[in-house]
PDB file of all heavy atoms in Angstrom:
ATOM      1  N   ARG A   8      48.012  87.380 110.489  1.00  0.00           N
ATOM      2  CA  ARG A   8      46.989  86.641 111.195  1.00  0.00           C
ATOM      3  C   ARG A   8      46.775  85.312 110.486  1.00  0.00           C
ATOM      4  O   ARG A   8      47.021  85.190 109.297  1.00  0.00           O
ATOM      5  CB  ARG A   8      45.664  87.437 111.167  1.00  0.00           C
ATOM      6  CG  ARG A   8      45.746  88.722 111.967  1.00  0.00           C
ATOM      7  CD  ARG A   8      44.527  89.545 111.716  1.00  0.00           C
ATOM      8  NE  ARG A   8      44.426  89.972 110.329  1.00  0.00           N
ATOM      9  CZ  ARG A   8      43.587  90.910 109.912  1.00  0.00           C
ATOM     10  NH1 ARG A   8      42.789  91.510 110.764  1.00  0.00           N
ATOM     11  NH2 ARG A   8      43.556  91.237 108.645  1.00  0.00           N
ATOM     12  N   VAL A  10      44.926  82.760 108.497  1.00  0.00           N
ATOM     13  CA  VAL A  10      43.759  82.739 107.626  1.00  0.00           C
ATOM     14  C   VAL A  10      43.241  81.322 107.480  1.00  0.00           C
ATOM     15  O   VAL A  10      42.172  81.105 106.931  1.00  0.00           O
ATOM     16  CB  VAL A  10      44.094  83.278 106.217  1.00  0.00           C
ATOM     17  CG1 VAL A  10      44.387  84.748 106.321  1.00  0.00           C
ATOM     18  CG2 VAL A  10      45.229  82.521 105.599  1.00  0.00           C
ATOM     19  N   GLY A  12      44.074  76.980 109.095  1.00  0.00           N
ATOM     20  CA  GLY A  12      44.738  76.212 110.142  1.00  0.00           C
ATOM     21  C   GLY A  12      46.220  76.076 109.894  1.00  0.00           C
ATOM     22  O   GLY A  12      46.725  76.354 108.789  1.00  0.00           O
ATOM     23  N   GLU A  14      47.813  73.500 109.360  1.00  0.00           N
ATOM     24  CA  GLU A  14      48.117  72.456 108.375  1.00  0.00           C
ATOM     25  C   GLU A  14      48.515  73.086 107.033  1.00  0.00           C
ATOM     26  O   GLU A  14      49.448  72.629 106.370  1.00  0.00           O
ATOM     27  CB  GLU A  14      46.917  71.529 108.181  1.00  0.00           C
ATOM     28  CG  GLU A  14      46.578  70.684 109.401  1.00  0.00           C
ATOM     29  CD  GLU A  14      45.736  71.426 110.413  1.00  0.00           C
ATOM     30  OE1 GLU A  14      45.447  72.625 110.198  1.00  0.00           O
ATOM     31  OE2 GLU A  14      45.347  70.812 111.438  1.00  0.00           O
ATOM     32  N   ARG A  34      52.827  79.104  97.871  1.00  0.00           N
ATOM     33  CA  ARG A  34      51.429  79.355  98.234  1.00  0.00           C
ATOM     34  C   ARG A  34      50.499  78.949  97.094  1.00  0.00           C
ATOM     35  O   ARG A  34      49.457  78.332  97.320  1.00  0.00           O
ATOM     36  CB  ARG A  34      51.240  80.842  98.551  1.00  0.00           C
ATOM     37  CG  ARG A  34      51.553  81.203  99.986  1.00  0.00           C
ATOM     38  CD  ARG A  34      50.896  82.507 100.355  1.00  0.00           C
ATOM     39  NE  ARG A  34      51.231  83.605  99.464  1.00  0.00           N
ATOM     40  CZ  ARG A  34      52.300  84.369  99.606  1.00  0.00           C
ATOM     41  NH1 ARG A  34      53.130  84.184 100.612  1.00  0.00           N
ATOM     42  NH2 ARG A  34      52.561  85.348  98.757  1.00  0.00           N
ATOM     43  N   LYS A  42      42.717  72.833  96.349  1.00  0.00           N
ATOM     44  CA  LYS A  42      41.535  72.932  95.482  1.00  0.00           C
ATOM     45  C   LYS A  42      41.293  71.647  94.705  1.00  0.00           C
ATOM     46  O   LYS A  42      40.160  71.260  94.498  1.00  0.00           O
ATOM     47  CB  LYS A  42      41.702  74.087  94.503  1.00  0.00           C
ATOM     48  CG  LYS A  42      41.458  75.438  95.110  1.00  0.00           C
ATOM     49  CD  LYS A  42      41.601  76.447  94.018  1.00  0.00           C
ATOM     50  CE  LYS A  42      41.154  77.805  94.391  1.00  0.00           C
ATOM     51  NZ  LYS A  42      41.427  78.738  93.273  1.00  0.00           N
ATOM     52  N   LYS A  44      41.815  68.516  95.458  1.00  0.00           N
ATOM     53  CA  LYS A  44      42.156  67.557  96.494  1.00  0.00           C
ATOM     54  C   LYS A  44      42.191  66.126  95.955  1.00  0.00           C
ATOM     55  O   LYS A  44      43.202  65.426  96.091  1.00  0.00           O
ATOM     56  CB  LYS A  44      41.138  67.665  97.639  1.00  0.00           C
ATOM     57  CG  LYS A  44      41.624  67.068  98.924  1.00  0.00           C
ATOM     58  CD  LYS A  44      40.915  67.678 100.104  1.00  0.00           C
ATOM     59  CE  LYS A  44      39.730  66.871 100.507  1.00  0.00           C
ATOM     60  NZ  LYS A  44      39.159  67.338 101.784  1.00  0.00           N
ATOM     61  N   ARG A  61      59.965  53.448 100.030  1.00  0.00           N
ATOM     62  CA  ARG A  61      60.602  52.426  99.192  1.00  0.00           C
ATOM     63  C   ARG A  61      61.872  52.874  98.499  1.00  0.00           C
ATOM     64  O   ARG A  61      62.649  52.022  98.064  1.00  0.00           O
ATOM     65  CB  ARG A  61      59.598  51.965  98.135  1.00  0.00           C
ATOM     66  CG  ARG A  61      58.325  51.384  98.784  1.00  0.00           C
ATOM     67  CD  ARG A  61      57.446  50.692  97.785  1.00  0.00           C
ATOM     68  NE  ARG A  61      58.200  49.784  96.923  1.00  0.00           N
ATOM     69  CZ  ARG A  61      57.685  49.146  95.878  1.00  0.00           C
ATOM     70  NH1 ARG A  61      56.429  49.346  95.577  1.00  0.00           N
ATOM     71  NH2 ARG A  61      58.421  48.359  95.151  1.00  0.00           N
ATOM     72  N   ILE A  62      62.107  54.190  98.378  1.00  0.00           N
ATOM     73  CA  ILE A  62      63.260  54.611  97.589  1.00  0.00           C
ATOM     74  C   ILE A  62      64.555  54.522  98.398  1.00  0.00           C
ATOM     75  O   ILE A  62      64.632  54.998  99.528  1.00  0.00           O
ATOM     76  CB  ILE A  62      63.043  56.012  97.008  1.00  0.00           C
ATOM     77  CG1 ILE A  62      62.024  55.934  95.884  1.00  0.00           C
ATOM     78  CG2 ILE A  62      64.346  56.602  96.482  1.00  0.00           C
ATOM     79  CD1 ILE A  62      61.615  57.240  95.302  1.00  0.00           C
ATOM     80  N   ASP A  72      66.571  54.416  93.516  1.00  0.00           N
ATOM     81  CA  ASP A  72      65.594  53.473  92.970  1.00  0.00           C
ATOM     82  C   ASP A  72      64.878  52.800  94.127  1.00  0.00           C
ATOM     83  O   ASP A  72      65.188  53.037  95.300  1.00  0.00           O
ATOM     84  CB  ASP A  72      66.322  52.425  92.106  1.00  0.00           C
ATOM     85  CG  ASP A  72      65.358  51.688  91.215  1.00  0.00           C
ATOM     86  OD1 ASP A  72      64.151  52.023  91.206  1.00  0.00           O
ATOM     87  OD2 ASP A  72      65.801  50.776  90.505  1.00  0.00           O
ATOM     88  N   ASP A  95      76.031  63.576  89.495  1.00  0.00           N
ATOM     89  CA  ASP A  95      74.771  63.572  90.247  1.00  0.00           C
ATOM     90  C   ASP A  95      73.753  62.670  89.552  1.00  0.00           C
ATOM     91  O   ASP A  95      73.857  62.377  88.351  1.00  0.00           O
ATOM     92  CB  ASP A  95      74.248  64.997  90.290  1.00  0.00           C
ATOM     93  CG  ASP A  95      73.259  65.201  91.405  1.00  0.00           C
ATOM     94  OD1 ASP A  95      72.053  64.949  91.145  1.00  0.00           O
ATOM     95  OD2 ASP A  95      73.664  65.580  92.509  1.00  0.00           O
ATOM     96  N   ARG A 104      67.849  59.951  79.340  1.00  0.00           N
ATOM     97  CA  ARG A 104      66.842  60.559  78.478  1.00  0.00           C
ATOM     98  C   ARG A 104      67.353  60.649  77.046  1.00  0.00           C
ATOM     99  O   ARG A 104      66.607  60.448  76.088  1.00  0.00           O
ATOM    100  CB  ARG A 104      66.469  61.960  78.962  1.00  0.00           C
ATOM    101  CG  ARG A 104      65.474  61.985  80.086  1.00  0.00           C
ATOM    102  CD  ARG A 104      64.838  63.370  80.198  1.00  0.00           C
ATOM    103  NE  ARG A 104      65.801  64.436  80.379  1.00  0.00           N
ATOM    104  CZ  ARG A 104      66.413  64.724  81.530  1.00  0.00           C
ATOM    105  NH1 ARG A 104      66.159  64.008  82.591  1.00  0.00           N
ATOM    106  NH2 ARG A 104      67.260  65.719  81.617  1.00  0.00           N
ATOM    107  N   ASN A 109      74.305  52.590  76.461  1.00  0.00           N
ATOM    108  CA  ASN A 109      73.611  51.524  77.164  1.00  0.00           C
ATOM    109  C   ASN A 109      74.598  50.838  78.099  1.00  0.00           C
ATOM    110  O   ASN A 109      74.889  49.648  77.965  1.00  0.00           O
ATOM    111  CB  ASN A 109      73.024  50.557  76.142  1.00  0.00           C
ATOM    112  CG  ASN A 109      71.992  49.623  76.780  1.00  0.00           C
ATOM    113  OD1 ASN A 109      71.325  50.017  77.739  1.00  0.00           O
ATOM    114  ND2 ASN A 109      71.883  48.422  76.274  1.00  0.00           N
TER     115      ASN A 109
ATOM    116  N   ARG B  48      64.087  54.781  78.424  1.00  0.00           N
ATOM    117  CA  ARG B  48      64.234  53.587  79.244  1.00  0.00           C
ATOM    118  C   ARG B  48      63.989  53.961  80.685  1.00  0.00           C
ATOM    119  O   ARG B  48      64.221  55.104  81.101  1.00  0.00           O
ATOM    120  CB  ARG B  48      65.626  53.025  79.089  1.00  0.00           C
ATOM    121  CG  ARG B  48      65.889  52.452  77.711  1.00  0.00           C
ATOM    122  CD  ARG B  48      67.340  52.124  77.540  1.00  0.00           C
ATOM    123  NE  ARG B  48      68.185  53.324  77.685  1.00  0.00           N
ATOM    124  CZ  ARG B  48      69.473  53.361  77.337  1.00  0.00           C
ATOM    125  NH1 ARG B  48      70.040  52.280  76.872  1.00  0.00           N
ATOM    126  NH2 ARG B  48      70.158  54.460  77.481  1.00  0.00           N
ATOM    127  N   GLY B  52      62.436  53.040  89.397  1.00  0.00           N
ATOM    128  CA  GLY B  52      61.140  52.400  89.468  1.00  0.00           C
ATOM    129  C   GLY B  52      60.029  53.351  89.061  1.00  0.00           C
ATOM    130  O   GLY B  52      60.235  54.562  88.963  1.00  0.00           O
ATOM    131  N   GLU B  54      57.720  54.390  90.802  1.00  0.00           N
ATOM    132  CA  GLU B  54      57.347  55.296  91.893  1.00  0.00           C
ATOM    133  C   GLU B  54      57.919  56.696  91.658  1.00  0.00           C
ATOM    134  O   GLU B  54      57.236  57.680  91.907  1.00  0.00           O
ATOM    135  CB  GLU B  54      57.889  54.746  93.237  1.00  0.00           C
ATOM    136  CG  GLU B  54      57.215  53.460  93.700  1.00  0.00           C
ATOM    137  CD  GLU B  54      57.834  52.206  93.087  1.00  0.00           C
ATOM    138  OE1 GLU B  54      58.765  52.371  92.247  1.00  0.00           O
ATOM    139  OE2 GLU B  54      57.398  51.101  93.433  1.00  0.00           O
ATOM    140  N   ARG B  74      61.309  67.270  87.787  1.00  0.00           N
ATOM    141  CA  ARG B  74      62.377  66.277  88.000  1.00  0.00           C
ATOM    142  C   ARG B  74      63.339  66.745  89.079  1.00  0.00           C
ATOM    143  O   ARG B  74      63.752  65.948  89.944  1.00  0.00           O
ATOM    144  CB  ARG B  74      63.141  66.042  86.697  1.00  0.00           C
ATOM    145  CG  ARG B  74      62.539  65.000  85.786  1.00  0.00           C
ATOM    146  CD  ARG B  74      63.577  64.468  84.798  1.00  0.00           C
ATOM    147  NE  ARG B  74      64.209  65.507  84.031  1.00  0.00           N
ATOM    148  CZ  ARG B  74      63.732  66.011  82.911  1.00  0.00           C
ATOM    149  NH1 ARG B  74      62.631  65.553  82.398  1.00  0.00           N
ATOM    150  NH2 ARG B  74      64.377  66.970  82.278  1.00  0.00           N
ATOM    151  N   LYS B  82      66.486  62.845  97.671  1.00  0.00           N
ATOM    152  CA  LYS B  82      67.795  62.994  98.348  1.00  0.00           C
ATOM    153  C   LYS B  82      67.634  63.430  99.792  1.00  0.00           C
ATOM    154  O   LYS B  82      68.392  63.007 100.645  1.00  0.00           O
ATOM    155  CB  LYS B  82      68.618  64.035  97.589  1.00  0.00           C
ATOM    156  CG  LYS B  82      69.278  63.508  96.342  1.00  0.00           C
ATOM    157  CD  LYS B  82      70.118  64.624  95.779  1.00  0.00           C
ATOM    158  CE  LYS B  82      70.989  64.182  94.641  1.00  0.00           C
ATOM    159  NZ  LYS B  82      71.731  65.358  94.136  1.00  0.00           N
ATOM    160  N   LYS B  84      65.344  62.764 102.012  1.00  0.00           N
ATOM    161  CA  LYS B  84      64.182  61.961 102.372  1.00  0.00           C
ATOM    162  C   LYS B  84      63.647  62.318 103.760  1.00  0.00           C
ATOM    163  O   LYS B  84      62.464  62.649 103.921  1.00  0.00           O
ATOM    164  CB  LYS B  84      64.552  60.482 102.292  1.00  0.00           C
ATOM    165  CG  LYS B  84      63.356  59.584 102.220  1.00  0.00           C
ATOM    166  CD  LYS B  84      63.710  58.245 101.603  1.00  0.00           C
ATOM    167  CE  LYS B  84      64.062  57.221 102.618  1.00  0.00           C
ATOM    168  NZ  LYS B  84      64.234  55.894 102.031  1.00  0.00           N
ATOM    169  N   ARG B 101      41.984  66.667 106.268  1.00  0.00           N
ATOM    170  CA  ARG B 101      41.330  67.612 107.160  1.00  0.00           C
ATOM    171  C   ARG B 101      40.819  68.880 106.486  1.00  0.00           C
ATOM    172  O   ARG B 101      39.978  69.568 107.051  1.00  0.00           O
ATOM    173  CB  ARG B 101      42.282  67.983 108.294  1.00  0.00           C
ATOM    174  CG  ARG B 101      42.689  66.727 109.079  1.00  0.00           C
ATOM    175  CD  ARG B 101      43.410  67.071 110.340  1.00  0.00           C
ATOM    176  NE  ARG B 101      42.715  68.083 111.123  1.00  0.00           N
ATOM    177  CZ  ARG B 101      43.222  68.657 112.211  1.00  0.00           C
ATOM    178  NH1 ARG B 101      44.434  68.328 112.608  1.00  0.00           N
ATOM    179  NH2 ARG B 101      42.557  69.567 112.862  1.00  0.00           N
ATOM    180  N   ILE B 102      41.377  69.229 105.306  1.00  0.00           N
ATOM    181  CA  ILE B 102      41.018  70.526 104.746  1.00  0.00           C
ATOM    182  C   ILE B 102      39.663  70.483 104.039  1.00  0.00           C
ATOM    183  O   ILE B 102      39.405  69.585 103.229  1.00  0.00           O
ATOM    184  CB  ILE B 102      42.125  71.037 103.804  1.00  0.00           C
ATOM    185  CG1 ILE B 102      43.316  71.457 104.670  1.00  0.00           C
ATOM    186  CG2 ILE B 102      41.645  72.214 102.968  1.00  0.00           C
ATOM    187  CD1 ILE B 102      44.521  71.851 103.892  1.00  0.00           C
ATOM    188  N   ASP B 112      39.981  75.659 104.900  1.00  0.00           N
ATOM    189  CA  ASP B 112      40.472  75.565 106.284  1.00  0.00           C
ATOM    190  C   ASP B 112      40.221  74.142 106.762  1.00  0.00           C
ATOM    191  O   ASP B 112      39.631  73.330 106.066  1.00  0.00           O
ATOM    192  CB  ASP B 112      39.742  76.582 107.182  1.00  0.00           C
ATOM    193  CG  ASP B 112      40.449  76.775 108.516  1.00  0.00           C
ATOM    194  OD1 ASP B 112      41.533  76.185 108.707  1.00  0.00           O
ATOM    195  OD2 ASP B 112      39.933  77.514 109.358  1.00  0.00           O
ATOM    196  N   ASP B 135      39.067  84.695  94.583  1.00  0.00           N
ATOM    197  CA  ASP B 135      39.726  83.414  94.868  1.00  0.00           C
ATOM    198  C   ASP B 135      40.330  83.422  96.254  1.00  0.00           C
ATOM    199  O   ASP B 135      40.560  84.474  96.851  1.00  0.00           O
ATOM    200  CB  ASP B 135      40.837  83.233  93.844  1.00  0.00           C
ATOM    201  CG  ASP B 135      41.270  81.798  93.740  1.00  0.00           C
ATOM    202  OD1 ASP B 135      42.156  81.396  94.492  1.00  0.00           O
ATOM    203  OD2 ASP B 135      40.691  81.084  92.903  1.00  0.00           O
ATOM    204  N   ARG B 144      47.471  88.933 104.300  1.00  0.00           N
ATOM    205  CA  ARG B 144      48.906  89.226 104.487  1.00  0.00           C
ATOM    206  C   ARG B 144      49.125  90.713 104.662  1.00  0.00           C
ATOM    207  O   ARG B 144      49.962  91.139 105.444  1.00  0.00           O
ATOM    208  CB  ARG B 144      49.698  88.744 103.246  1.00  0.00           C
ATOM    209  CG  ARG B 144      50.051  87.298 103.267  1.00  0.00           C
ATOM    210  CD  ARG B 144      51.208  87.008 102.327  1.00  0.00           C
ATOM    211  NE  ARG B 144      50.928  87.421 100.959  1.00  0.00           N
ATOM    212  CZ  ARG B 144      50.162  86.762 100.093  1.00  0.00           C
ATOM    213  NH1 ARG B 144      49.579  85.637 100.466  1.00  0.00           N
ATOM    214  NH2 ARG B 144      49.974  87.207  98.875  1.00  0.00           N
ATOM    215  N   ASN B 149      39.943  94.025 108.899  1.00  0.00           N
ATOM    216  CA  ASN B 149      39.635  93.001 109.883  1.00  0.00           C
ATOM    217  C   ASN B 149      38.162  92.616 109.783  1.00  0.00           C
ATOM    218  O   ASN B 149      37.403  92.808 110.724  1.00  0.00           O
ATOM    219  CB  ASN B 149      40.001  93.490 111.282  1.00  0.00           C
ATOM    220  CG  ASN B 149      40.055  92.361 112.280  1.00  0.00           C
ATOM    221  OD1 ASN B 149      40.366  91.213 111.913  1.00  0.00           O
ATOM    222  ND2 ASN B 149      39.724  92.625 113.528  1.00  0.00           N
TER     223      ASN B 149
END
Side-chain angles (χ1 to χ4, degrees):
Chain A
R8 293 170 297 193
V10 293
E14 293 84 357
R34 274 201 305 273
K42 282 182 170 177
K44 199 157 93 171
R61 301 191 49 187
I62 287 175
D72 196 3
D95 200 272
R104 278 199 303 282
N109 195 30
Chain B
R48 291 171 299 192
E54 292 85 357
R74 273 201 306 273
K82 280 183 172 178
K84 198 157 94 172
R101 301 190 49 188
I102 287 174
D112 195 4
D135 199 272
R144 277 199 303 281
N149 195 31

